[in-house]
Amino acid sequence: MARRRLMPGVTGQGSTPAPAARSGPQAPIATTVADAAGTAALEEMAGALQSARDSGRMILDLPLDKISADHLSRDRIPVEDEEMAALRESLRLHGQRTPIEVTPLEGTALPYGLISGWRRLHALKALVAETGESRFSTVQAIIRKPDTVADAYVNMVEENEVRVGLSQYERARVAALATQRGIFPTEKAALLALFASASRAKRSRIRAFLELYHALDGVLRFPTHLPERLGLQLVDAVRAGEAGRIAEKIAAADPGSPEEELEALRQALAPGTAPAKPRPKKTAAETVEIEPGIALEQSLSGKTLTLKLRGRGVTPELRDRVMRALKNLD
């Protein structure tokens, strides 16, 4: 049987010719539209990423040596304790779980300033120094852009209040330091801004600890461990002029732990340990007869002058006359 030869482009009975392949360059407008669409998509993505970065919705890995830990006067007092040791061990085993907060800095040696996360930042630095492992050389961070430095202080305090809480001494300390740096005009204004959500009674207690901070900062070695009740007792002692004596007691005790310092403070505040206040000198009473049957006795104790009327002539009627005369003195 003869074989049927097919013509080029024909596939068989009932088939249709295959479309010829297009040749030559694409239309210029198609290429332009595709390029424009790609550029727009990239710009939109870049804008979305920049917006997420600026609004704090993106977590970045930042080198530890690019962050200024002293951008703000810290509310947390640096201390090597069990909590810091536990934090280092957690970072060693599980890595960082909660990002710190930083803000961009201009005109400074370091590009970022720390807002919150002081303990995490320093725990990672300690791990780098201890192990030399590169996995600890960066920190997960969120970028914040507070409108003012005062807002940055508020953010720092709020973050620490929520996460770990602050001692009354630390609350007072950050209010004092922020005022000293000129962030707030007065310590009262600092308290109102930094602890706006606190009750009036709580702010009053923090204000009392401000007196303690000004009197004994640098003397107390473990002030963050000071219970509120004992701290308020110390405030009363400071107001009574006992700050110097308490400082001497702490120096003599030379406490090496919070427990030892608390015991030294309790002993300093124990009844009978404060020196007896000298009684004011009292002069002998002098009596002068001002009319028959009426004598005036006067005595001076310190700066207090006491006058007494004595004798058979001192009657209720005389008392009323004296009271009227005293009222007329105004």
Side-chain angles (χ1 to χ4, degrees):
M1 181 172 62
R3 297 175 62 89
R4 187 172 58 180
R5 299 177 61 187
L6 299 178
M7 295 294 292
V10 177
T11 58
Q13 187 176 2
S15 63
T16 57
R22 294 182 181 179
S23 60
Q26 288 185 321
I29 189 170
T31 303
T32 302
V33 169
D35 290 346
T39 300
L42 289 175
E43 290 178 350
E44 182 179 357
M45 180 179 297
L49 291 175
Q50 187 64 42
S51 175
R53 175 191 175 104
D54 293 342
S55 61
R57 291 179 288 114
M58 178 183 293
I59 297 177
L60 306 175
D61 283 332
L62 300 179
L64 298 179
D65 58 4
K66 298 297 182 182
I67 301 172
S68 172
D70 299 325
H71 167 57
L72 303 177
S73 297
R74 310 314 306 171
D75 53 354
R76 299 293 290 183
I77 298 177
V79 61
E80 180 61 34
D81 54 15
E82 293 182 1
E83 289 184 3
M84 181 63 86
L87 176 59
R88 284 201 305 272
E89 190 61 21
S90 175
L91 290 170
R92 187 198 311 272
L93 296 177
H94 309 293
Q96 184 184 353
R97 294 177 174 177
T98 305
I100 66 172
E101 293 183 345
V102 299
T103 187
L105 300 179
E106 296 181 0
T108 60
L110 300 179
Y112 299 101
L114 181 67
I115 294 180
S116 64
W118 187 94
R119 293 170 69 88
R120 278 160 282 167
L121 181 68
H122 280 265
L124 286 169
K125 288 183 177 181
L127 287 171
V128 170
E130 176 187 340
T131 67
E133 296 182 28
S134 60
R135 66 188 179 107
F136 298 126
S137 63
T138 60
V139 61
Q140 296 177 16
I142 294 175
I143 293 181
R144 302 289 189 197
K145 292 184 177 180
D147 293 334
T148 64
V149 179
D151 292 333
Y153 270 89
V154 172
N155 292 344
M156 174 183 68
V157 170
E158 288 181 346
E159 197 267 353
N160 274 334
E161 288 281 20
V162 171
R163 292 194 67 256
V164 292
L166 295 170
S167 67
Q168 293 287 50
Y169 192 90
E170 286 171 314
R171 294 184 181 108
R173 176 178 177 272
V174 70
L177 293 177
T179 304
Q180 291 170 14
R181 293 188 61 179
I183 309 303
F184 301 100
T186 63
E187 290 180 346
K188 181 179 180 180
L191 289 175
L192 290 173
L194 297 174
F195 307 101
S197 60
S199 65
R200 179 178 297 180
K202 183 175 181 178
R203 284 199 298 270
S204 177
R205 292 191 294 272
I206 300 173
R207 188 179 295 111
F209 269 76
L210 271 168
E211 297 181 52
L212 194 62
Y213 167 79
H214 289 302
L216 296 177
D217 187 58
V219 174
L220 297 173
R221 304 182 186 184
F222 306 94
T224 61
H225 294 79
L226 189 63
E228 181 178 291
R229 183 175 179 181
L230 183 59
L232 293 176
Q233 292 174 352
L234 277 176
V235 172
D236 289 338
V238 166
R239 290 171 177 171
E242 297 294 319
R245 186 181 64 83
I246 291 172
E248 292 174 359
K249 289 286 186 181
I250 295 176
D254 192 22
S257 68
E259 293 74 20
E260 291 178 1
E261 181 168 83
L262 292 177
E263 181 59 28
L265 290 172
R266 291 189 182 99
Q267 291 181 7
L269 295 174
T273 58
K277 295 182 179 179
R279 294 184 178 182
K281 294 182 179 180
K282 186 175 182 180
T283 60
E286 297 181 4
T287 302
V288 178
E289 186 175 20
I290 57 176
E291 64 179 70
I294 302 176
L296 175 63
E297 179 184 298
Q298 57 182 353
S299 60
L300 183 64
S301 179
K303 296 183 179 180
T304 303
L305 177 64
T306 303
L307 301 176
K308 293 181 181 180
L309 291 175
R310 299 181 181 277
R312 65 178 184 277
V314 180
T315 63
E317 291 77 9
L318 178 61
R319 178 199 62 194
D320 295 339
R321 286 168 51 198
V322 171
M323 292 296 294
R324 286 194 298 270
L326 291 174
K327 289 180 179 179
N328 291 332
L329 290 177
D330 296 336

